[in-house]
Amino acid sequence: MQIFIHCLQKLSDDIALKDYIKMSSKWADIKEINKFNSQIAKAQKEGEFASHKAYEEAYKPCINGYCIGLDERGVMLDSFEFAKLLKDKPQISFFIGGAYGLGDNLRAKMDKLVSLSRLTLAHKIAKLVLYEQIFRALCINANHPYHK
């Protein structure tokens, strides 16, 4: 199984996430792809419309496999429901929105929209929660006792 985490983070030095990637490697190959660039930085200064357009441009080539957008308006799942979402899918791509979230066009291209919380989360926190839940889901699907 391949899992891609697509994000738009200015700075990326998340040592704790490397532990989850390593622990998950028994069941999945997890790759993080940071698409933040100068166009996104410029667009974010121009506002929501420009930002959503820039996010879509950056993410368009990455829309492969089963695509899950992380969005505050998405469905909230418990860990077992999240595990079912990942089960039997050879390639999963997660998309984390930028400062203005995911735009309507990008949300429409997702197979599923999931909310990690109704709260707005910083990229670093959202990624930590996501990586932990991916590891937990992989453990649930492998009948490993971590999830208890």
Side-chain angles (χ1 to χ4, degrees), residues 7-12 14 32 34 36 123-124 127:
C7 65
L8 302 165
Q9 186 177 3
K10 285 183 190 175
L11 302 173
S12 186
D14 300 322
E32 182 176 314
N34 188 349
F36 190 82
H123 250 84
K124 195 172 205 171
K127 283 177 19 183

Side-chain angles (χ1 to χ4, degrees), residues 5-106:
I5 312 295
H6 302 280
C7 65
L8 302 165
Q9 186 177 3
K10 285 183 190 175
L11 302 173
S12 186
D13 187 22
D14 300 322
I15 307 245
L17 301 181
K18 291 180 179 140
D19 290 337
Y20 282 110
I21 292 170
K22 184 177 179 183
M23 292 185 302
S24 299
S25 67
K26 183 176 184 177
W27 301 291
D29 178 25
I30 300 176
K31 300 269 190 273
E32 182 176 314
I33 301 162
N34 188 349
K35 301 297 281 185
F36 190 82
N37 58 37
S38 60
Q39 288 83 11
I40 290 171
K42 181 181 176 196
Q44 288 182 159
K45 292 177 185 172
E46 295 173 11
E48 186 174 1
F49 179 77
S51 295
H52 284 165
K53 187 175 178 183
Y55 303 160
E56 188 175 355
E57 293 265 331
Y59 278 158
K60 190 187 299 185
C62 305
I63 298 175
N64 294 309
Y66 190 80
C67 296
I68 301 171
L70 299 182
D71 188 270
E72 63 188 8
R73 293 168 279 186
V75 62
M76 294 191 78
L77 305 171
D78 66 25
S79 295
F80 289 95
E81 292 167 326
F82 190 80
K84 285 180 189 174
L85 188 61
L86 272 56
K87 194 171 185 132
D88 300 325
K89 293 182 178 70
Q91 183 179 342
I92 301 168
S93 294
F94 287 93
F95 295 86
I96 302 173
Y100 291 96
L102 299 174
D104 290 339
N105 290 338
L106 201 48

